[in-house]
Amino acid sequence: MTTTETPAFLYAQIPYRDAPAALRWLERAFGLTTTAEWPDDEGGIQHAEMRRGDAVFTVFTDRAGYDRAQPRGESVGLGLVFALGSPAEVDDIFRSAVAAGAEVVFAPTDTEWGNYRCRVRDLEGYEWTFGTYKPGEPQEWAGDDQVD
């Protein structure tokens, strides 16, 4: 018998206190598409799936009262990152997110490692980064403190 190895991929699951409202906000703010949505018996979401391109994550109603990471300085140090195709896409999502009420962590800017990115917090405090960096692809360091 032959077996075919399936490539692994990673997705996140995000609990929202008001998951139905979060789905609509994420669609509006970030241009995401809800591809599946199953309600629970209490008016919340048992399981929903959202995507943009090949990026997929799930959403559900937080009935357990999970802790949210709190900012230490400008960021909570934990969040979701979308790799986009161009700086223009980053700028477009940033404008859309701010118009939808996202809190700005940092506006679009270039980094030393070749990423053009922005970061915002959604209405329940989750951080979302949108940038051009593609993990696993060769990058050039543009900082002054490059190690030889």
Side-chain angles (χ1 to χ4, degrees), residues 20-140:
L23 291 172
R24 305 299 76 88
W25 189 88
L26 293 164
E27 291 167 343
R28 187 173 63 258
F30 301 151
L32 301 173
T33 301
T34 301
T35 58
E37 183 175 342
W38 290 284
D40 64 19
D41 294 335
E42 299 177 45
I45 298 295
Q46 178 176 320
H47 176 89
E49 298 172 5
M50 300 195 86
R51 82 175 312 128
R52 180 181 173 114
D54 288 335
V56 178
F57 61 94
T58 65
V59 168
F60 63 94
T61 297
D62 177 4
R63 301 239 182 261
Y66 294 110
D67 290 335
R68 301 292 196 271
Q70 297 301 309
R72 295 190 182 183
E74 68 181 350
S75 177
V76 300
L78 173 69
L80 292 120
V81 180
F82 274 85
L84 302 176
S86 71
E89 287 182 75
V90 174
D91 291 338
D92 288 346
I93 284 190
F94 180 75
R95 282 191 294 275
S96 176
V98 170
E103 178 185 345
V104 176
V105 177
F106 48 82
T109 188
D110 288 305
T111 67
E112 295 88 349
W113 57 93
N115 190 11
Y116 181 76
R117 66 177 180 164
C118 69
R119 183 173 297 161
V120 297
R121 277 191 205 97
D122 69 21
L123 299 179
E124 290 199 17
Y126 291 109
E127 287 188 357
W128 297 82
T129 301
F130 296 90
T132 58
Y133 182 79
K134 308 274 189 305
E137 293 182 7
Q139 303 291 330
E140 294 289 328

